[in-house]
Amino acid sequence: MAGLLKQIEREAVSLFPKQSSILVAASGGLDSMALLHSLNTLSSRYEWRIAIAHFNHHLRKTAAMADQCVVTKYANQNKLKISVGDWIKDPALIKKQGVEMAAREGRYGFLATAAKKHRCKYIAIAHHSDDQAETFLWRMMRGAGGEGLGGMQVLTDFVEKPKIQIARPLLSFTKYDLQKYANDCSIPFREDSTNSDPKHLRNKIRGKLIPYLKRHFNPEIEHSILQSQNLVATDSDYAKQSAREWLDTQKRTNFSSLHMAVQRWAIWHQLIELDIDPQFLHIERLRTFAEQSISVKKTKLIRRDHEGILHLDPVKPLIFYQDSIDSG
């Protein structure tokens, strides 16, 4: 136990300066309770101020309340501040995004509110190396690019909340490591039955695909995936930064002379700035054809000029004249 805690300490200290305020996202499951216990154990040494956030999705009825009780009991026993959130389901959003994505959006919105309430600069989340491998395969099936396949980073800015950062101190640890740590320290946690429900793609990847790959192709498949993620993320980040530098330069080289990867990222940056979802087909159409408009919003068209800059144009309404209607 001491050895593993020492390893977690090295990761955590590299992320959280002394006297940091840290909000720990705790679901009540193994991963998050191991994270909460380790950071709380180390907090006095580094003068960290720990607060807890628990989001109840209310998808498993009594089981969800039992999860909440595990977290609130730990908070009370250790005299830690805690915020509990309840998911208010939006049927329209669920229909559009699906239950998983809609719940995720609700959870992260709650975490941002809780971080502000407890004046925490960091939100600690218990993603680990097994999650990385699952995410790689899950995103690959959806046709993700370099940034998506690059996986989760140990420290990232919270979307739309630049003063808050998401920290993942457990990314270099396996599920087995955390299980051993929890057992050795008698950490209370609950198993989430939905984690084995085969109707979710992630669970199929976790329970069927990865074990199959390990059994028939490579017993160390997670290590290979993590290596690939690192390589892909580095290459993608270089192209992304190159595109940003090109856009910020006063005297730009010709767009057509840029590497294809840089062209794509240059368009991606501009679409984000225009508050447009950067879909692959749109990026390719804009990259390939100059001065050809495509529809991206009900009242807007977008086009790329020959210099590589995007422009939003209004959709011209159709005008029907009475005499042409009568003659028809």
Side-chain angles (χ1 to χ4, degrees), residues 225-246:
I225 289 175
L226 293 176
Q227 179 178 293
S228 295
Q229 282 184 315
N230 182 270
L231 294 169
V232 169
T234 303
D235 293 348
S236 177
D237 189 57
Y238 179 79
K240 186 178 182 180
Q241 287 188 31
S242 298
R244 184 72 266 170
E245 291 171 3
W246 180 82

Side-chain angles (χ1 to χ4, degrees), residues 7 30 39 44 46 52 99 121 187 281 299 307-308 311:
Q7 294 176 49
L30 165 65
L39 293 182
S44 59
Y46 297 100
I52 305 173
V99 173
K121 181 180 178 181
I187 299 171
L281 293 178
T299 59
E307 282 70 45
H311 303 272

Side-chain angles (χ1 to χ4, degrees), residues 59-60 99-100 138 142 193-208:
L59 293 174
R60 294 181 297 122
V99 173
E100 286 185 88
W138 182 70
R142 283 167 161 71
S193 60
T194 61
N195 287 337
S196 57
D197 189 339
K199 74 179 182 181
H200 300 300
L201 178 58
R202 263 191 183 276
N203 294 344
K204 289 181 182 177
I205 293 171
R206 180 186 306 123
K208 294 186 177 181

